PDB file of all heavy atoms in Angstrom:
ATOM      1  N   VAL F  87     101.915 121.182 125.681  1.00  0.00           N
ATOM      2  CA  VAL F  87     100.720 120.351 125.891  1.00  0.00           C
ATOM      3  C   VAL F  87      99.464 121.153 125.552  1.00  0.00           C
ATOM      4  O   VAL F  87      98.567 120.672 124.853  1.00  0.00           O
ATOM      5  CB  VAL F  87     100.652 119.827 127.349  1.00  0.00           C
ATOM      6  CG1 VAL F  87      99.263 119.262 127.650  1.00  0.00           C
ATOM      7  CG2 VAL F  87     101.701 118.762 127.589  1.00  0.00           C
ATOM      8  N   VAL F  88      99.416 122.405 126.021  1.00  0.00           N
ATOM      9  CA  VAL F  88      98.243 123.248 125.751  1.00  0.00           C
ATOM     10  C   VAL F  88      98.094 123.501 124.247  1.00  0.00           C
ATOM     11  O   VAL F  88      96.988 123.442 123.702  1.00  0.00           O
ATOM     12  CB  VAL F  88      98.333 124.582 126.545  1.00  0.00           C
ATOM     13  CG1 VAL F  88      97.301 125.578 126.053  1.00  0.00           C
ATOM     14  CG2 VAL F  88      98.161 124.319 128.030  1.00  0.00           C
ATOM     15  N   LEU F  89      99.214 123.749 123.577  1.00  0.00           N
ATOM     16  CA  LEU F  89      99.153 123.974 122.124  1.00  0.00           C
ATOM     17  C   LEU F  89      98.677 122.710 121.404  1.00  0.00           C
ATOM     18  O   LEU F  89      97.869 122.776 120.472  1.00  0.00           O
ATOM     19  CB  LEU F  89     100.526 124.390 121.591  1.00  0.00           C
ATOM     20  CG  LEU F  89     100.972 125.813 121.939  1.00  0.00           C
ATOM     21  CD1 LEU F  89     102.420 126.035 121.508  1.00  0.00           C
ATOM     22  CD2 LEU F  89     100.058 126.833 121.266  1.00  0.00           C
ATOM     23  N   HIS F  90      99.184 121.571 121.849  1.00  0.00           N
ATOM     24  CA  HIS F  90      98.791 120.286 121.264  1.00  0.00           C
ATOM     25  C   HIS F  90      97.293 120.066 121.468  1.00  0.00           C
ATOM     26  O   HIS F  90      96.566 119.712 120.533  1.00  0.00           O
ATOM     27  CB  HIS F  90      99.613 119.176 121.931  1.00  0.00           C
ATOM     28  CG  HIS F  90      99.201 117.767 121.586  1.00  0.00           C
ATOM     29  ND1 HIS F  90      99.218 117.285 120.298  1.00  0.00           N
ATOM     30  CD2 HIS F  90      98.793 116.733 122.366  1.00  0.00           C
ATOM     31  CE1 HIS F  90      98.822 116.016 120.307  1.00  0.00           C
ATOM     32  NE2 HIS F  90      98.546 115.656 121.551  1.00  0.00           N
ATOM     33  N   PHE F  91      96.833 120.321 122.690  1.00  0.00           N
ATOM     34  CA  PHE F  91      95.411 120.188 123.016  1.00  0.00           C
ATOM     35  C   PHE F  91      94.586 121.159 122.155  1.00  0.00           C
ATOM     36  O   PHE F  91      93.570 120.769 121.584  1.00  0.00           O
ATOM     37  CB  PHE F  91      95.221 120.487 124.512  1.00  0.00           C
ATOM     38  CG  PHE F  91      93.798 120.626 124.954  1.00  0.00           C
ATOM     39  CD1 PHE F  91      93.020 119.499 125.190  1.00  0.00           C
ATOM     40  CD2 PHE F  91      93.228 121.885 125.123  1.00  0.00           C
ATOM     41  CE1 PHE F  91      91.701 119.630 125.595  1.00  0.00           C
ATOM     42  CE2 PHE F  91      91.908 122.019 125.531  1.00  0.00           C
ATOM     43  CZ  PHE F  91      91.153 120.886 125.765  1.00  0.00           C
ATOM     44  N   SER F  92      95.035 122.406 122.053  1.00  0.00           N
ATOM     45  CA  SER F  92      94.287 123.390 121.265  1.00  0.00           C
ATOM     46  C   SER F  92      94.238 123.000 119.803  1.00  0.00           C
ATOM     47  O   SER F  92      93.224 123.200 119.136  1.00  0.00           O
ATOM     48  CB  SER F  92      94.935 124.772 121.349  1.00  0.00           C
ATOM     49  OG  SER F  92      95.280 125.072 122.655  1.00  0.00           O
ATOM     50  N   SER F  93      95.319 122.458 119.291  1.00  0.00           N
ATOM     51  CA  SER F  93      95.309 122.109 117.870  1.00  0.00           C
ATOM     52  C   SER F  93      94.367 120.922 117.644  1.00  0.00           C
ATOM     53  O   SER F  93      93.721 120.833 116.608  1.00  0.00           O
ATOM     54  CB  SER F  93      96.723 121.854 117.349  1.00  0.00           C
ATOM     55  OG  SER F  93      97.016 120.485 117.302  1.00  0.00           O
ATOM     56  N   TYR F  94      94.259 120.031 118.636  1.00  0.00           N
ATOM     57  CA  TYR F  94      93.288 118.935 118.527  1.00  0.00           C
ATOM     58  C   TYR F  94      91.857 119.481 118.541  1.00  0.00           C
ATOM     59  O   TYR F  94      91.050 119.172 117.665  1.00  0.00           O
ATOM     60  CB  TYR F  94      93.483 117.927 119.664  1.00  0.00           C
ATOM     61  CG  TYR F  94      92.369 116.891 119.758  1.00  0.00           C
ATOM     62  CD1 TYR F  94      92.234 115.911 118.790  1.00  0.00           C
ATOM     63  CD2 TYR F  94      91.448 116.931 120.803  1.00  0.00           C
ATOM     64  CE1 TYR F  94      91.206 114.981 118.856  1.00  0.00           C
ATOM     65  CE2 TYR F  94      90.412 116.004 120.876  1.00  0.00           C
ATOM     66  CZ  TYR F  94      90.296 115.030 119.903  1.00  0.00           C
ATOM     67  OH  TYR F  94      89.276 114.117 119.969  1.00  0.00           O
ATOM     68  N   VAL F  95      91.590 120.336 119.523  1.00  0.00           N
ATOM     69  CA  VAL F  95      90.222 120.857 119.674  1.00  0.00           C
ATOM     70  C   VAL F  95      89.850 121.801 118.529  1.00  0.00           C
ATOM     71  O   VAL F  95      88.776 121.698 117.945  1.00  0.00           O
ATOM     72  CB  VAL F  95      90.074 121.578 121.039  1.00  0.00           C
ATOM     73  CG1 VAL F  95      88.772 122.351 121.111  1.00  0.00           C
ATOM     74  CG2 VAL F  95      90.157 120.570 122.172  1.00  0.00           C
ATOM     75  N   GLY F  96      90.778 122.709 118.203  1.00  0.00           N
ATOM     76  CA  GLY F  96      90.450 123.765 117.241  1.00  0.00           C
ATOM     77  C   GLY F  96      90.669 123.354 115.793  1.00  0.00           C
ATOM     78  O   GLY F  96      89.802 123.590 114.944  1.00  0.00           O
ATOM     79  N   LEU F  97      91.813 122.752 115.510  1.00  0.00           N
ATOM     80  CA  LEU F  97      92.120 122.435 114.107  1.00  0.00           C
ATOM     81  C   LEU F  97      91.558 121.078 113.714  1.00  0.00           C
ATOM     82  O   LEU F  97      90.893 120.937 112.694  1.00  0.00           O
ATOM     83  CB  LEU F  97      93.631 122.454 113.874  1.00  0.00           C
ATOM     84  CG  LEU F  97      94.341 123.791 114.089  1.00  0.00           C
ATOM     85  CD1 LEU F  97      95.832 123.642 113.830  1.00  0.00           C
ATOM     86  CD2 LEU F  97      93.757 124.857 113.175  1.00  0.00           C
ATOM     87  N   ASP F  98      91.863 120.063 114.525  1.00  0.00           N
ATOM     88  CA  ASP F  98      91.474 118.702 114.143  1.00  0.00           C
ATOM     89  C   ASP F  98      89.962 118.513 114.239  1.00  0.00           C
ATOM     90  O   ASP F  98      89.331 118.021 113.320  1.00  0.00           O
ATOM     91  CB  ASP F  98      92.222 117.691 115.015  1.00  0.00           C
ATOM     92  CG  ASP F  98      92.052 116.272 114.494  1.00  0.00           C
ATOM     93  OD1 ASP F  98      92.252 116.079 113.293  1.00  0.00           O
ATOM     94  OD2 ASP F  98      91.706 115.376 115.281  1.00  0.00           O
ATOM     95  N   GLN F  99      89.382 118.897 115.384  1.00  0.00           N
ATOM     96  CA  GLN F  99      87.941 118.656 115.578  1.00  0.00           C
ATOM     97  C   GLN F  99      87.087 119.892 115.300  1.00  0.00           C
ATOM     98  O   GLN F  99      85.856 119.826 115.329  1.00  0.00           O
ATOM     99  CB  GLN F  99      87.674 118.176 117.010  1.00  0.00           C
ATOM    100  CG  GLN F  99      88.356 116.860 117.360  1.00  0.00           C
ATOM    101  CD  GLN F  99      87.743 115.675 116.628  1.00  0.00           C
ATOM    102  OE1 GLN F  99      86.597 115.707 116.218  1.00  0.00           O
ATOM    103  NE2 GLN F  99      88.524 114.625 116.442  1.00  0.00           N
TER     104      GLN F  99
END
Side-chain angles (χ1 to χ4, degrees):
Chain F
V87 166
V88 168
L89 287 173
H90 172 60
F91 170 80
S92 315
S93 99
Y94 170 70
V95 169
L97 297 180
D98 191 49
Q99 298 290 336

